[in-house]
Amino acid sequence: MTTPVTPVTPPLKDELDIVIPTIRNLDFLEMWRPFFQPYHLIIVQDGDPSKKINVPEGFDYELYNRNDINRILGPKASCISFKDSACRCFGFMVSKKKYIYTIDDDCFVAKDPTGKEINALQQHIHNLLAPSTPFFFNTLYDPYREGADFVRGYPFSMREGVPTAISHGLWLNIPDYDAPTQLVKPRERNTRYVDAVMTIPKGTLFPMCGMNLGFDRELIGPAMYFGLMGDGQPIGRYDDMWAGWCAKVICDHLSLGVKTGLPYIWHSKASNPFVNLKKEYKGIYWQEEIIPFFQKVAFSKESTTVQKCYIELSKMVKEKLSPVDPYFQKLADAMVTWIEAWEELNTPAKSAPVANSDPKKK
């Protein structure tokens, strides 16, 4: 007589949403089915709202297009980018879960050096549920991993760590390069699998990539605004960078952690470097002013929540970066609109907005 197998409940099954921005059919989900199917998906359709997006059978999902965004947010929909993957942050706003994992639709399941398929979502969950150590660097990287610990000389008073707000994953195959680097290294591929997770130290900025990213929505969600990019804006492909810089300085102020490293996904498709250059060139120029700005950000003692920090940061952006280009005044105003919309949709009395979800797909 065989003993019946007890089904294993996936971690955070009812506490995590997967957010996917897309302009195409989501056939890539077939590869992710063993890992994603138990979870709820929020799909944000970019571009033409009349185009039908096909989602493979068996997934539990909501699908929002531009018409839905306009209907739900009204005039505040102006803060959500159009024709840019920055539209994904609308999914962050309408989610009612504690955690978010966001992935691009050209990202496939990677394999570790032994040939085993990597469950990226599971690793992000592990990262987010373990503390971070931003105030003192551990030379064995993540001391909370199995087989690791704090090294000799690490202060015992700091070993408890702080809550982890962001888990930043990496990519094999196509590197996340800017257009100039793409142009000079068109055939370069990332084949290095580094089996490590580390906390980014306090006071250190990093280039956040949105294609393989997890975060604690309750801890840092209001700061994960991907800005005004894409159609009608003078810049693109800096949406995740902007969110990363804003979120990191707020995490530093509120004593929250940011991890980077594992998990890897397989980035399958290189975007056109000439198209990218057209989107990026102002950002490449402006970042030489933007980075020193963020390095000098200091919040007041009154900024005790992410929302308060973000509003204060928007005022700094308007004051310090508007002289660089009038675009930053528009961006600063959009940051305020974003927080207003976030708070409107995330008050306890508000129920989840209705989208183009199909109960037959569940």
Side-chain angles (χ1 to χ4, degrees):
M1 182 177 177
T2 58
T3 305
V5 177
T6 305
V8 177
T9 303
L12 303 181
K13 177 182 177 296
D14 299 318
E15 297 180 72
L16 182 143
D17 280 333
I18 299 172
V19 175
I20 306 167
T22 193
I23 58 171
R24 58 181 66 87
N25 294 333
L26 294 180
D27 301 328
F28 91 115
L29 284 173
E30 288 294 354
M31 178 179 280
W32 288 101
R33 187 181 291 276
F35 308 129
F36 287 1
Q37 190 162 354
Y39 296 88
H40 181 67
L41 312 182
I42 299 178
I43 301 161
V44 184
Q45 178 181 344
D46 194 17
D48 182 1
S50 67
K51 181 180 177 182
K52 180 173 172 52
I53 298 291
N54 292 319
V55 182
E57 291 287 338
F59 285 92
D60 169 26
Y61 70 91
E62 300 164 78
L63 172 63
Y64 294 93
N65 60 33
R66 193 70 202 188
N67 293 339
D68 298 312
I69 294 171
N70 292 337
R71 172 177 54 83
I72 292 164
L73 295 185
K76 293 184 176 68
S78 61
C79 72
I80 304 298
S81 299
F82 186 58
K83 294 187 177 177
D84 191 275
S85 65
C87 68
R88 82 178 76 219
C89 62
F90 177 77
F92 307 161
M93 182 187 287
V94 298
S95 170
K96 299 300 172 187
K97 304 291 178 59
K98 178 172 169 55
Y99 299 97
I100 295 286
Y101 175 56
T102 185
I103 185 172
D104 286 0
D105 60 12
D106 63 348
C107 294
F108 300 156
V109 177
K111 294 181 179 179
D112 69 17
T114 70
K116 181 183 177 183
E117 290 192 333
I118 298 167
N119 184 345
L121 181 55
Q122 187 176 54
Q123 178 66 48
H124 276 294
I125 290 170
H126 178 80
N127 292 348
L128 290 167
L129 294 182
S132 290
T133 54
F135 306 122
F136 203 92
F137 190 79
N138 191 59
T139 50
L140 277 181
Y141 304 118
D142 190 348
Y144 306 104
R145 265 185 87 171
E146 187 177 348
D149 211 324
F150 292 95
V151 297
R152 181 171 56 89
Y154 201 101
F156 283 87
S157 60
M158 294 184 177
R159 295 190 181 193
E160 186 178 341
V162 301
T164 300
I166 299 172
S167 171
H168 178 257
L170 300 174
W171 4 259
L172 295 171
N173 195 36
I174 306 295
D176 187 29
Y177 286 160
D178 53 37
T181 309
Q182 278 185 292
L183 286 166
V184 298
K185 296 183 174 181
R187 295 181 181 84
E188 185 160 294
R189 299 293 180 265
N190 183 33
T191 59
R192 293 180 66 228
Y193 180 96
V194 181
D195 186 16
V197 177
M198 67 179 75
T199 298
I200 301 174
K202 181 180 181 180
T204 301
L205 296 170
F206 75 112
M208 189 173 83
C209 174
M211 74 172 89
N212 175 27
L213 183 69
F215 63 93
D216 186 323
R217 185 177 175 276
E218 291 183 1
L219 286 181
I220 199 63
M224 298 297 280
Y225 175 47
F226 278 49
L228 271 184
M229 306 278 161
D231 197 46
Q233 309 303 332
I235 183 176
R237 283 174 55 84
Y238 271 81
D239 51 335
D240 42 8
M241 301 291 156
W242 182 261
W245 297 327
C246 292
K248 183 57 166 66
V249 294
I250 292 173
C251 282
D252 286 351
H253 176 70
L254 297 178
S255 295
L256 300 171
V258 179
K259 291 186 175 183
T260 188
L262 301 179
Y264 284 90
I265 49 84
W266 181 269
H267 186 205
S268 68
K269 189 176 64 177
S271 47
N272 186 307
F274 295 100
V275 173
N276 289 347
L277 185 59
K278 188 175 180 180
K279 295 177 180 178
E280 288 177 358
Y281 79 95
K282 286 197 173 181
I284 292 170
Y285 175 67
W286 289 341
Q287 70 186 10
E288 303 307 319
E289 304 271 357
I290 296 172
I291 300 302
F293 161 77
F294 277 105
Q295 289 173 328
K296 295 173 185 174
V297 163
F299 293 101
S300 65
K301 290 181 180 178
E302 290 71 35
S303 289
T304 54
T305 66
V306 176
Q307 286 93 325
K308 288 179 180 178
C309 287
Y310 206 71
I311 292 297
E312 187 175 359
L313 184 58
S314 73
K315 294 174 182 175
M316 297 182 207
V317 169
K318 183 171 284 191
E319 179 189 352
K320 301 293 186 183
L321 292 181
S322 290
V324 175
D325 193 274
Y327 162 76
F328 289 99
Q329 179 152 345
K330 189 177 180 182
L331 176 56
D333 290 339
M335 292 168 71
V336 175
T337 303
W338 160 263
I339 292 296
E340 290 172 350
W342 182 282
E343 295 198 324
E344 196 172 290
L345 284 184
N346 288 282
T347 56
K350 288 280 183 179
S351 58
V354 178
N356 295 327
S357 58
D358 185 346
K360 296 177 183 175
K361 304 293 184 184
K362 298 183 179 182

